[in-house]
Amino acid sequence: MSIKTDSRHLYLQVIEEIKRDIQSGKYKEKEKLPSEFQLSKQLGVSRATLREALRILEEDNVVTRKHGVGTFVNSKPIFSSGIEQLNSVTSMIESSGRTAGSQYLSTELLEPMDEDREKFSPLTIHTIAQIERVRTADNEPVVFCIDKVPEGVIPLERVHKEDSLFKLIEEYSRKRIAYAVTYIEPIGYHDRIYEILNCDPEQSLLLLKQMHYTEEDEPVLYSANYFRSDVFSFHVLRKRM
């Protein structure tokens, strides 16, 4: 279908045309698109129309525009999950047919800070275990995890042997995580985490901060998980009330 004979706004037609070219393999993941001059000429539209289409495609995480360099096709996320579904990272990875794994980094017993005491309120905590791990999919690093649990909730000597903290907490403490309060934040460049996850400096991370509770509303686990945005995407079902 010719762009010029389509009754929709031109920029919407351009968006669909570029998406089709990506899906067909004409433009591959991480590949640079033709220049704005070349692309506008190919599509028969003005550069202003093309820029509006590219702006929306960037908002939809289809492409990334790098000032002075060009526009690049983003990798399609491998894992997609509804944020209303509380799944462990292990189950998310395994549900996509990949093998989940962990690279254990460290465990520290710390005196809780005021913000830790607030998070785990109304529990009174005297010592907190902080665990740092990298979660892998087919041995590729995809999530950097910082987990905090009150001392005694899990056997710390088993942390480096288990992939799922959910499972370890349930087996050891007989506490089943029923729900979590979650906050999502986009994160820019971070020296240590980007190096560990082999991230492109231009890409962003998705930070999920989650406080996990039992059915009795007891807080048992706080997690700060940094997901690679080129590998994971999250969505939510919203209903009109």
Side-chain angles (χ1 to χ4, degrees):
M1 179 169 54
S2 169
I3 282 183
K4 290 186 177 180
T5 60
D6 195 313
S7 61
R8 294 173 300 164
H9 290 297
L10 282 177
Y11 73 88
L12 295 175
Q13 299 173 53
V14 170
I15 289 171
E16 291 304 314
E17 185 69 22
I18 293 175
K19 283 184 175 180
R20 278 195 293 269
D21 286 342
I22 292 173
Q23 291 169 357
S24 70
K26 181 178 178 179
Y27 304 128
K28 296 179 173 55
E29 292 183 357
K30 300 183 179 180
E31 183 176 285
K32 183 180 177 181
L33 295 179
S35 68
E36 288 187 1
F37 173 76
Q38 293 171 314
L39 206 49
S40 61
K41 189 174 181 180
Q42 289 175 20
L43 296 171
V45 297
S46 69
R47 292 178 72 174
T49 297
L50 176 65
R51 285 177 186 141
E52 177 63 11
L54 292 177
R55 182 188 68 79
I56 294 173
L57 285 169
E58 186 171 39
E59 286 183 354
D60 290 343
N61 204 34
V62 176
V63 301
T64 295
R65 292 188 290 176
K66 300 180 181 180
H67 182 69
V69 180
T71 302
F72 295 81
V73 179
N74 289 336
S75 299
K76 186 177 180 180
I78 300 170
F79 311 108
S80 182
S81 175
I83 199 65
E84 70 277 5
Q85 300 168 351
L86 180 57
N87 295 317
S88 68
V89 175
T90 299
S91 63
M92 288 177 60
I93 293 172
E94 291 179 343
S95 66
S96 67
R98 303 297 183 95
T99 300
S102 295
Q103 296 174 1
Y104 171 78
L105 298 180
S106 66
T107 299
E108 294 181 277
L109 286 174
L110 305 171
E111 181 180 348
M113 297 184 291
D114 289 343
E115 62 182 42
D116 295 320
R117 298 182 193 279
E118 185 176 344
K119 285 185 179 76
F120 283 93
S121 176
L123 293 183
T124 300
I125 54 175
H126 303 288
T127 308
I128 196 165
Q130 178 174 293
I131 305 155
E132 290 191 355
R133 299 177 299 161
V134 177
R135 304 310 312 279
T136 61
D138 291 346
N139 296 317
E140 179 185 4
V142 292
V143 191
F144 179 83
C145 302
I146 301 174
D147 298 295
K148 294 183 177 183
V149 293
E151 185 181 17
V153 171
I154 57 174
L156 298 181
E157 68 276 6
R158 287 181 55 191
V159 167
H160 67 287
K161 300 177 182 178
E162 300 285 346
D163 286 333
S164 175
L165 287 187
F166 280 26
K167 182 179 178 182
L168 192 57
I169 291 171
E170 187 168 348
E171 288 180 352
Y172 185 76
S173 297
R174 304 299 180 188
K175 299 177 187 292
R176 182 180 180 276
I177 292 173
Y179 68 95
V181 177
T182 304
Y183 296 89
I184 306 175
E185 299 177 10
I187 299 295
Y189 186 74
H190 184 292
D191 285 345
R192 181 175 178 236
I193 297 176
Y194 270 56
E195 182 178 355
I196 288 173
L197 295 181
N198 296 330
C199 293
D200 185 304
E202 297 293 330
Q203 79 180 66
S204 61
L205 298 175
L206 296 173
L207 170 59
L208 267 65
K209 296 179 177 179
Q210 299 191 101
M211 192 70 228
H212 301 81
Y213 298 85
T214 66
E215 292 179 349
E216 293 74 30
D217 302 321
E218 178 186 349
V220 292
L221 169 67
Y222 173 77
S223 299
N225 294 332
Y226 298 79
F227 291 83
R228 276 177 44 180
S229 61
D230 62 328
V231 178
F232 288 88
S233 69
F234 298 100
H235 55 269
V236 62
L237 174 65
R238 303 178 67 198
K239 295 183 178 180
R240 187 175 180 180
M241 303 301 291

